[in-house]
Amino acid sequence: MCEKCAEGFYGDVNKNGCKPCPCPEKSKNFAQGCTVDGNGAVQCICKNGYKGYLCDECSEGFFGNPLSNNGTCEPCQCNEKGIYNHGCDSRTGQCFCKEGILGLRCNICNNERHYLDGSSCKICDNCTLSLLDHTDKISHILEVSFKNVDLSGIPAPWLMLDSFDIRANALYEKYTTFNDAKDGIESFNTITLQKMELLSEQEH
């Protein structure tokens, strides 16, 4: 039964109906519910992740700007093993990383060829280091090789494809025109034959 207002609305169902809570605005509602007294004073009950008199701030563990266009509060999602303190910057979502650890979520080691193991960064094993060395060498060889290749004399393939497309469209238009004319002639011949047969019958 529709006996009470839905989440984010207030009022009396049987009297003036339900209205959206102005928390912080009627068109942007971050409240579970609210009350509005006779003087228009609002008391908001904020959804999880929001706080403030009008639910216009992010609570601890969330970040964002609820007052901006399409703004909401999102959970921090920090890497627990890479932080020294819970929560994050209330606007940017930057977690509080331990020394030597980077990234928005504190999940990247500052030093190259290191990985986050538990709560600290460790250097990669010899097998991984060897693989990374070979990858760097191959990347360097490819970079140098392509610098010495002159690609200016090679026409762009899409130019030829574009030319084919234009010619194909022109041929299709000619085919359509021819086909329409053919259908018209066949229709004309059919009508003419019918008239000739009718005249022949009348003469006899």
Side-chain angles (χ1 to χ4, degrees):
M1 298 293 291
C2 302
E3 298 176 347
K4 62 179 182 179
C5 294
E7 181 179 88
F9 289 76
Y10 74 97
D12 190 328
V13 176
N14 299 317
K15 291 184 179 180
N16 299 322
C18 298
K19 301 177 182 178
C21 293
C23 305
E25 303 170 8
K26 291 182 179 180
S27 59
K28 183 185 292 187
N29 188 346
F30 300 125
Q32 291 181 341
C34 64
T35 58
V36 180
D37 62 22
N39 297 322
V42 181
Q43 180 67 46
C44 299
I45 304 172
C46 301
K47 294 180 180 179
N48 183 40
Y50 297 86
K51 68 176 184 178
Y53 184 71
L54 295 176
C55 305
D56 52 358
E57 301 175 41
C58 294
S59 57
E60 185 177 355
F62 292 78
F63 73 97
N65 183 7
L67 294 178
S68 65
N69 291 333
N70 301 319
T72 59
C73 291
E74 303 293 334
C76 293
Q77 297 183 341
C78 300
N79 175 27
E80 294 292 330
K81 296 180 180 179
I83 60 175
Y84 65 83
N85 193 18
H86 290 285
C88 64
D89 185 279
S90 61
R91 286 301 176 94
T92 66
Q94 175 62 57
C95 300
F96 306 117
C97 303
K98 294 179 180 178
E99 185 177 357
I101 299 177
L102 306 174
L104 184 67
R105 299 180 180 179
C106 302
N107 57 350
I108 302 173
C109 291
N110 185 30
N111 295 327
E112 292 185 357
R113 302 190 177 187
H114 283 65
Y115 69 99
L116 191 60
D117 181 27
S119 59
S120 62
C121 288
K122 295 182 179 179
I123 191 168
C124 298
D125 58 60
N126 291 333
C127 183
T128 303
L129 290 173
S130 177
L131 178 62
L132 292 173
D133 286 338
H134 284 295
T135 303
D136 287 344
K137 289 179 181 178
I138 293 172
S139 298
H140 177 69
I141 292 172
L142 290 174
E143 183 179 356
V144 172
S145 299
F146 274 107
K147 283 183 178 179
N148 297 326
V149 176
D150 182 14
L151 300 176
S152 60
I154 302 177
W158 57 84
L159 296 177
M160 185 176 294
L161 292 174
D162 188 51
S163 175
F164 286 156
D165 184 58
I166 293 173
R167 291 165 62 186
N169 288 333
L171 289 173
Y172 179 76
E173 290 179 3
K174 289 182 179 180
Y175 167 77
T176 302
T177 302
F178 171 78
N179 206 38
D180 291 343
K182 179 173 173 289
D183 291 341
I185 292 172
E186 290 177 352
S187 177
F188 174 78
N189 289 339
T190 301
I191 295 173
T192 302
L193 288 173
Q194 290 176 348
K195 288 182 177 180
M196 291 177 65
E197 290 176 356
L198 181 61
L199 289 173
S200 178
E201 291 176 357
Q202 290 177 351
E203 290 177 355
H204 291 84

